[in-house]
Amino acid sequence: MKYGFIKVAAAVPAVRVADVEYNVLEMEKLIAMADADHVEVMCFPELSLTGYSCQDLFKERLLLDKAEEGLMMLLDFTRKLDVICIVGMPVQAGGLLLNCAAVIQHGSLLGIVPKTFLPNYNEFYEKRWFASAQDLNPTEIYLAGTQLLLTPEPTLFRTEGGVKLGIEICEDVWAPVPPSNHLTMAGADIIFNLSASDELTGKHRYLRSLLMQQSARTLSGYVYSSCGFGESTQDVVYGGNAMILENGKMLVEGDRFSLQPQLQVSQIDVERLRTERQTNTTFINAQRHYQARIIDTKPLQEQHEFKLTRTVNPHPFIPADEDMRETCEEILNIQTLGLAQRLHHIHCEHVVIGISGGLDSTLALMVCVRTFDRLGYDRKGIVGVTMPGFGTTDRTHDNATTLMQTLGISQMEIPIAKAVMQHFEDIGHDSSNHDVTYENSQARERTQILMDLANKLNALVVGTGDLSELALGWATYNGDHMSMYGVNASIPKTLIQYLIRYLAAQKEFAPQKDTLLDVIDTPISPELTPADEEGNIKQKTEDLVGPYELHDFFIYYFMRFGFRPQKIFFLAQQAFAGRYDDATIKKWLTTFCRRFFNQQFKRSCLPDGPKVGSISLSPRGDWRMPSDASNTLWLKECEEL
């Protein structure tokens, strides 16, 4: 395991019912493929050595003996292989016959896990042949040359890298209280399910939902392998489901109804799962009384170079295409309802908002319009203020005024150059020196205008700053950093573009469509320094602070999972391969770590604003960090990348 990833596989071999030797040979082919691919743990379907649908043949001594011989064949085959294999087989313990999972590695039988819940309905009559783990007293058995304890006690298998593996079998996960509940509460990082689930109309959809829910509820990885082609079709058909999930997300899924064997491989981020558990107090409280016995697997014989094979989304805040409409509408509704409640609570029907023609103020304006429409307020109660300064360009100014005119809100224009020049004279600042004083004086002048107007109009100042700017501290303290309610406070810059594009596609905003699309295409800029000779934006934020798509990527993995710079850098290499080279990623990751720590003081006094996703920098309910915390450890690791 490296960077917290462990490589796992769900195998669906070709099978002949009751032909153990054939089944073993087919399983060996997949084991060899998995080991060559450096898979660390793999599982096969339920009763994979014999075939699941043997029915009364499970009472035959010959079949049971051959199953044991088949296990010995697999033990011999895996003697020099590192991959941990979990195979299904019938196991006799005294007067009980149990449906079991056998865990093998390096030619050793590490342990046996019996099935707990046996179906006894419709076409499944497992209780006719098998006993439940609940019927089992701890029993010493001798199987395939190995003496071991067979027990109903929850059992975990721990890898050399410290990953804990739990096992349940088919019906177990359908039970009201699945064994995986206990296993994950006792520390299992990944659950392996050896299954034999038949195909019925609509069942697969329910099964996917069930596994996604179980994986999410237990904050675990889940590897599911079910019987496929070759099982008896006397009354039912087995489709060969192979799925690997992580905390409710489907990582890979095999082809159902395939006539060919399958080996579905993916990497599960155990570090990510453990971070989720550490921060989930409900999970922590739930697991306090659960225990399981631990069986250690064998040390690896070979060390291989680690390669990440799973896809890393470069834009983790952006919803998938099929979810885009629903997610955008949900985010906008959260923003709208938050602002509506605040206005309703303080009996206010007026807001003041600075409109620059940029992304943030455009989204905030659209939220104000939606809010007023929902409340039945007159849009004239929205006072949009343009405040052209030294760097304002015609493009942004025109977009701002066009938006306000077509939306039917109240408009004001208050140039700030004269007031700022007077301020420079008052404090003795040379206006030809375009330093931070030159820039921030403009931002604070604009905020002062908005605040004073709000007092005059009995209105609320709506803030426009977004999550990305707050994380980087890219806001003037007590300037655009401050408002009376910040509707964009937990929305990253990359997502704002999608929200505006979504709004532009809505029929109700057809008159604003062209303007909204041009706002998206306009370079991001605070416009605090003069434009170039052709009147175009000269001060481009991403040239100064770095690409927002990189910073949003850093924000997500730093805040959501607490990953260290080394892992964030590694993930960014995969996500942005061919787009940014290593030196560029390192440069802006270092910038992020430096600014995130140094700018915490700005986040310690943020105004209220609605939380729309899993990440927020609110000092009240989410991110709590000392303003004087040192960034030395993070910057040192960045230097070593």
Side-chain angles (χ1 to χ4, degrees):
M1 184 173 72
K2 190 170 184 181
Y3 297 111
F5 292 99
I6 181 170
K7 201 168 195 177
V8 298
V12 182
V15 65
R16 289 180 185 167
V17 178
D19 189 343
V20 175
E21 290 186 11
Y22 174 86
N23 296 340
V24 168
L25 291 175
E26 291 298 312
M27 294 168 73
E28 287 176 350
K29 293 176 185 177
L30 294 179
I31 292 172
M33 289 173 58
D35 190 72
D37 197 21
H38 310 316
V39 170
E40 296 171 72
V41 192
M42 67 184 301
C43 79
F44 287 89
E46 184 176 9
L47 296 168
S48 44
L49 279 176
T50 59
Y52 175 76
S53 50
C54 292
Q55 299 187 40
D56 282 355
L57 293 178
F58 284 123
K59 297 179 180 180
E60 295 294 319
R61 185 72 258 167
L62 177 60
L63 183 64
L64 299 181
D65 288 344
K66 285 297 180 180
E68 184 174 4
E69 291 178 19
L71 179 62
M72 287 190 285
M73 292 171 63
L74 287 178
L75 289 174
D76 185 61
F77 182 78
T78 62
R79 200 169 301 280
K80 295 184 179 181
L81 304 182
D82 280 327
V83 61
I84 300 166
C85 303
I86 307 172
V87 302
M89 65 177 296
V91 175
Q92 196 161 18
L96 302 179
L97 183 63
L98 300 160
N99 180 345
C100 292
V103 183
I104 63 177
Q105 183 196 22
H106 291 172
S108 298
L109 176 59
L110 302 178
I112 296 285
V113 176
K115 185 173 182 177
T116 301
F117 296 102
L118 306 179
N120 201 42
Y121 52 85
N122 298 334
E123 68 279 2
F124 299 106
Y125 303 101
E126 282 190 35
K127 287 187 177 180
R128 179 181 174 93
W129 312 295
F130 298 105
S132 164
Q134 296 170 326
D135 301 320
L136 176 67
N137 291 318
T139 305
E140 290 280 349
I141 65 169
Y142 190 77
L143 180 69
T146 305
Q147 187 170 351
L148 47 78
L149 179 66
L150 193 57
T151 173
E153 179 185 3
T155 301
L156 300 179
F157 297 84
R158 182 169 54 197
T159 71
E160 182 182 20
V163 180
K164 293 179 181 178
L165 317 173
I167 298 168
E168 61 186 5
I169 302 175
C170 197
E171 184 77 8
D172 287 346
V173 75
W174 298 78
V177 183
S180 51
N181 284 13
H182 189 125
L183 294 169
T184 51
M185 292 299 100
D189 300 297
I190 305 172
I191 298 296
F192 291 83
N193 187 318
L194 295 75
S195 186
S197 185
D198 66 324
E199 296 295 338
L200 299 172
T201 304
K203 183 178 180 181
H204 180 68
R205 187 182 302 110
Y206 183 86
L207 172 64
R208 291 180 88 255
S209 175
L210 176 68
L211 297 182
M212 293 170 87
Q213 284 289 329
Q214 186 65 0
S215 171
R217 184 178 295 109
T218 58
L219 299 176
S220 66
Y222 204 100
V223 182
Y224 180 91
S225 176
S226 185
C227 298
F229 185 72
E231 287 287 352
S232 173
T233 59
Q234 183 176 19
D235 288 308
V236 295
V237 170
Y238 298 90
N241 280 300
M243 293 178 271
I244 301 176
L245 306 95
E246 177 184 288
N247 191 17
K249 178 183 178 182
M250 187 71 68
L251 298 181
V252 296
E253 185 173 9
D255 297 324
R256 283 198 302 156
F257 306 115
S258 173
L259 303 185
Q260 304 301 319
Q262 295 190 66
L263 185 69
Q264 296 299 324
V265 178
S266 189
Q267 292 165 318
I268 292 176
D269 191 344
V270 174
E271 181 182 348
R272 180 171 178 163
L273 293 170
R274 290 175 176 174
T275 300
E276 292 276 21
R277 291 179 176 183
Q278 288 171 7
T279 56
N280 189 315
T281 56
T282 299
F283 187 93
I284 293 171
N285 293 336
Q287 57 83 46
R288 64 179 61 172
H289 299 302
Y290 287 88
Q291 294 181 338
R293 67 173 182 147
I294 304 291
I295 297 175
D296 286 311
T297 63
K298 305 293 183 179
L300 300 181
Q301 296 175 344
E302 287 187 68
Q303 297 295 331
H304 304 282
E305 180 184 358
F306 176 77
K307 292 183 179 180
L308 189 66
T309 57
R310 62 187 265 179
T311 301
V312 181
N313 183 1
H315 304 119
F317 288 107
I318 306 303
D321 289 342
E322 60 270 20
D323 301 324
M324 183 66 71
R325 177 182 175 85
E326 180 181 352
T327 302
C328 287
E329 189 62 32
E330 189 170 39
I331 291 170
L332 290 164
N333 280 334
I334 292 172
Q335 292 178 281
T336 298
L337 196 65
L339 180 58
Q341 166 60 18
R342 179 53 53 91
L343 294 175
H344 174 75
H345 177 68
I346 62 176
H347 307 291
C348 178
E349 296 186 12
H350 295 82
V351 297
V352 174
I353 179 171
I355 308 299
S356 67
L359 286 169
D360 295 346
S361 66
T362 296
L363 177 60
L365 172 59
M366 301 303 284
V367 169
C368 289
V369 169
R370 284 171 56 106
T371 302
F372 271 58
D373 290 350
R374 287 283 295 273
L375 290 171
Y377 291 174
D378 186 345
R379 287 189 184 182
K380 289 296 182 181
I382 303 171
V383 181
V385 187
T386 51
M387 294 169 282
F390 305 129
T392 303
T393 60
D394 291 341
R395 181 179 184 180
T396 55
H397 181 267
D398 290 347
N399 281 339
T401 56
T402 300
L403 268 181
M404 290 189 286
Q405 288 168 3
T406 57
L407 288 169
I409 70 169
S410 298
Q411 283 183 257
M412 293 185 68
E413 179 157 311
I414 305 176
I416 64 168
K418 183 177 179 181
V420 173
M421 290 300 291
Q422 178 62 54
H423 183 60
F424 287 160
E425 183 179 337
D426 292 341
I427 66 172
H429 182 73
D430 182 357
S431 61
S432 65
N433 181 6
H434 297 173
D435 60 3
V436 67
T437 303
Y438 179 88
E439 295 186 12
N440 287 352
S441 294
Q442 297 173 70
R444 291 195 179 98
E445 177 62 27
R446 287 177 170 135
T447 300
Q448 175 180 265
I449 290 170
L450 296 176
M451 291 288 182
D452 292 345
L453 269 177
N455 289 156
K456 180 180 179 181
L457 302 173
N458 193 26
L460 187 81
V461 175
V462 174
T464 62
D466 62 55
L467 177 70
S468 307
E469 293 179 342
L470 292 172
L472 294 167
W474 194 251
T476 299
Y477 191 85
N478 208 33
D480 50 314
H481 153 266
M482 191 48 60
S483 68
M484 296 174 183
Y485 196 76
V487 293
N488 296 339
S490 63
I491 303 179
K493 187 76 78 177
T494 50
L495 181 55
I496 288 178
Q497 296 178 353
Y498 284 84
L499 291 169
I500 294 176
R501 194 176 301 278
Y502 168 78
L503 288 165
Q506 303 309 299
K507 186 176 180 180
E508 63 184 300
F509 296 122
Q512 293 80 39
K513 179 178 180 179
D514 291 343
T515 305
L516 292 173
L517 294 178
D518 192 61
V519 168
I520 295 172
D521 293 336
T522 303
I524 300 169
S525 172
E527 294 191 316
L528 295 173
T529 59
D532 63 21
E533 292 124 356
E534 295 166 356
N536 297 318
I537 292 173
K538 184 177 180 180
Q539 184 186 29
K540 297 180 180 179
T541 299
E542 292 182 293
D543 291 344
L544 302 170
V545 78
Y548 274 116
E549 64 175 348
L550 276 180
H551 285 303
D552 285 354
F553 186 89
F554 303 152
I555 291 167
Y556 181 78
Y557 285 105
F558 179 85
M559 294 188 62
R560 183 74 173 82
F561 302 108
F563 288 167
R564 59 195 297 170
Q566 183 184 62
K567 184 168 182 176
I568 296 175
F569 177 74
F570 172 74
L571 293 175
Q573 285 178 306
Q574 316 304 312
F576 296 101
R579 182 167 174 81
Y580 299 107
D581 59 25
D582 290 355
T584 301
I585 296 172
K586 176 180 176 179
K587 173 185 175 181
W588 296 121
L589 178 57
T590 303
T591 296
F592 169 77
C593 290
R594 183 183 69 253
R595 292 192 65 95
F596 188 87
F597 279 80
N598 291 349
Q599 303 295 313
Q600 171 61 24
F601 73 98
K602 295 181 182 177
R603 300 188 290 267
S604 294
C605 56
L606 287 180
D608 292 348
K611 179 178 180 179
V612 302
S614 59
I615 294 176
S616 170
L617 284 162
S618 168
R620 292 166 294 277
D622 291 277
W623 187 255
R624 303 178 189 185
M625 170 182 165
S627 296
D628 303 313
S630 171
N631 57 18
T632 301
L633 294 177
W634 287 263
L635 291 181
K636 183 176 181 181
E637 183 155 299
C638 286
E639 291 173 7
E640 296 170 352
L641 294 173

